[in-house]
Amino acid sequence: MTKILLHGCFGRMGKVITDIAQNDENYEICAGVDAYSSGIATFPVYKSISDVKEKADVIIDFSSPAALTELLNYAKNTATPIVLATTGFSSEQISEIKKAAEIIPIFFTFNMSLGINLLTALSKRAAQVLGLDYDIEIIEKHHSQKLDAPSGTALMLANAVNEVYDDTMQYEFDRHSRRMVRPKKEIGIHSVRGGTIVGEHEVIFAGKDETISLTHTATSRDVFAVGAVKSAAFIKGKTAGIYDMNMMIN
């Protein structure tokens, strides 16, 4: 059994993870933390992770980037592996995550969906085959309450494709203020926010007389919660380092 400390337990994803754990004897939520919301739980809930008394096998975080430093400090002090499922980290925070991974095992990916990680691999393969003869555009769509734009997943897709070109591509987020022909070495990234869209990502390869489109659509947040729970079981007992979905599925 994997004992989970659920950080952000009363949020949307926290509630889904709670439901998964309650219906699977392989998982138990031994404690929860939520600094911003309140609710009813069958496990102890704390406002601050520093107050947690229970010992967990793994921490799953679905909260806010603002909580990262305190979260990593707790994980390091208690030698607890952590699954970071929160999005919207800055480049400085990603450096902080990598530094902490020298001490503890950290599962860090921009998207917990198996399908998204397959889309990433397919996009990378397409870039290898098509080369610079095709213009690349990424469109991501999410619900109106999502705070960060572009999504971490869109950046993950762009970074994967950019690796094929030795990181020489430039990202363009806003073309309205410039008047020029589209450069070849550019990846356009576009964000749509509206309604209750769970998550849609499309990678477009537009060439002469043909367009190739690779798309992933999430119809429920459950796919992200399932991925996070499976990641917790995967990272339990691992040595220090950064782990991601590719390592888990390969």
Side-chain angles (χ1 to χ4, degrees):
M1 176 182 286
T2 301
K3 293 186 176 182
I4 297 169
L5 168 54
L6 184 53
H7 194 258
C9 60
F10 291 135
R12 290 192 191 98
M13 298 309 302
K15 291 175 182 176
V16 178
I17 290 176
T18 298
D19 289 340
I20 292 172
Q22 287 176 342
N23 291 285
D24 191 329
E25 61 183 12
N26 293 309
Y27 304 99
E28 176 193 345
I29 300 178
C30 62
V33 177
D34 203 305
Y36 306 104
S37 303
S38 59
I40 299 173
T42 58
F43 46 82
V45 178
Y46 302 88
K47 284 293 184 181
S48 172
I49 195 167
S50 60
D51 295 329
V52 174
K53 302 176 180 63
E54 290 73 16
K55 174 59 180 173
D57 296 317
V58 183
I59 302 165
I60 295 180
D61 172 50
F62 263 116
S63 60
S64 163
L68 180 67
T69 298
E70 183 182 20
L71 186 61
L72 291 178
N73 285 339
Y74 175 87
K76 288 185 291 186
N77 291 337
T78 59
T80 309
I82 183 169
V83 175
L84 290 175
T86 300
T87 60
F89 292 117
S90 66
S91 56
E92 291 79 11
Q93 287 177 313
I94 292 174
S95 297
E96 188 178 356
I97 291 167
K98 291 178 179 178
K99 184 69 174 177
E102 297 174 5
I103 301 171
I104 55 171
I106 298 177
F107 195 101
F108 177 58
T109 182
F110 289 105
N111 194 294
M112 286 289 167
S113 162
L114 179 62
I116 278 290
N117 284 274
L118 176 59
L119 174 64
T120 303
L122 292 173
S123 299
K124 194 170 183 176
R125 178 58 180 152
Q128 292 168 340
V129 172
L130 301 174
L132 288 171
D133 293 331
Y134 289 69
D135 297 324
I136 304 167
E137 299 284 306
I138 297 173
I139 304 172
E140 57 95 354
K141 305 175 185 179
H142 285 88
H143 55 87
S144 61
Q145 301 305 302
K146 186 171 177 60
L147 299 179
D148 56 312
S151 67
T153 301
L155 293 174
M156 179 179 75
L157 290 164
N159 291 340
V161 170
N162 203 5
E163 284 180 13
V164 176
Y165 305 110
D166 298 320
D167 295 324
T168 58
M169 304 291 276
Q170 300 296 312
Y171 299 165
E172 180 56 55
F173 304 99
D174 182 10
R175 293 196 179 100
H176 88 280
S177 61
R178 70 181 197 184
R179 194 168 176 81
M180 59 182 287
V181 174
R182 184 192 193 282
K184 269 294 177 186
K185 289 202 166 186
E186 177 177 286
I187 298 177
I189 304 176
H190 314 276
S191 299
V192 176
R193 296 290 176 267
T196 58
I197 301 171
V198 174
E200 298 180 19
H201 292 85
E202 180 180 13
V203 184
I204 299 170
F205 294 86
K208 180 175 171 53
D209 301 325
E210 68 175 357
T211 299
I212 299 159
S213 177
L214 302 172
T215 305
H216 175 272
T217 301
T219 57
S220 168
R221 292 184 178 86
D222 289 9
V223 296
F224 310 121
V226 169
V229 171
K230 288 184 176 180
S231 301
F234 171 78
I235 203 173
K236 175 184 175 181
K238 290 287 193 296
T239 56
I242 291 279
Y243 297 84
D244 60 25
M245 190 67 75
N246 288 328
M247 296 177 184
M248 188 172 76
I249 63 180
N250 289 332

